Amino acid sequence: QVHLVESGGGSVQSGGSLRLSCTASGYTETKYIMGWFRQAPGKEREGVAGIDSDHLTSYADSVKGRFTIYRNNARSTLYLSMSRLTPEDTAMYYCAFDPRPWSFTLLEPGQYSHWGQGTQVTVSS
C-alpha cells in the first residue's frame, strides 16, 4: 500500500513563495506518475501539475511560469515549487500517485489511485 505524506504548506503574503514536498512509501519501482492537486472551499479539486516516469511535466494554465513540479526518485519525494503566489492559490494541496508509468492526462484526478491527506496553503493579499 502506497502512503503519501505532504509537507511545506503554510501562510504567505501575495508574491511570496513556498515549496511543497510529498514523500511516498510502500512502492520501490521508479515507473509511476505523480501529481499535485488543490481544492479551495466550495470548489472542485483541480489538477495543478503532474509528472511522469520520464520527468515530463504538465501544468494548469493558471500556474504555468510560477510553479515547478519535480521529483527525486532516490528519495521517493515529489516537490512543488511555488512562486509569485496570489490569494487565488489559496487551497488545500494534495499529492497523488499512480503506478502507471505515463499518462496523457496527468492533471485528471481519475488517473491516480493514491492520495495524501493534504497540506494547506494560504496566501494573503
Side-chain angles (χ1 to χ4, degrees):
Q1 182 71 11
V2 177
H3 186 56
L4 305 173
V5 178
E6 302 100 332
S7 61
S11 297
V12 296
Q13 290 191 327
S14 185
S17 301
L18 282 173
R19 188 181 75 162
L20 305 183
S21 300
C22 172
T23 301
S25 60
Y27 191 78
T28 58
E29 301 294 327
T30 60
K31 298 292 187 183
Y32 53 85
I33 62 171
M34 292 191 77
W36 287 100
F37 292 77
R38 67 186 181 186
Q39 189 167 18
K43 294 188 177 181
E44 293 186 356
R45 187 170 298 191
E46 65 170 344
V48 175
I51 186 168
D52 69 12
S53 298
D54 293 329
H55 293 239
L56 296 178
T57 59
S58 181
Y59 294 92
D61 288 342
S62 60
V63 307
K64 282 180 181 176
R66 300 188 300 122
F67 291 11
T68 302
I69 186 172
Y70 56 103
R71 56 194 273 180
N72 184 324
N73 288 346
R75 296 184 176 183
S76 300
T77 302
L78 177 73
Y79 302 93
L80 184 69
S81 180
M82 306 184 294
S83 63
R84 290 184 282 146
L85 287 162
T86 73
E88 288 69 37
D89 295 315
T90 295
M92 184 71 78
Y93 282 70
Y94 298 91
C95 170
F97 168 98
D98 193 271
R100 72 186 74 198
W102 306 284
S103 172
F104 291 111
T105 55
L106 287 170
L107 301 184
E108 288 294 326
Q111 295 292 297
Y112 298 89
S113 53
H114 297 80
W115 294 82
Q117 293 299 307
T119 185
Q120 178 68 37
V121 172
T122 302
V123 185
S124 58
S125 58

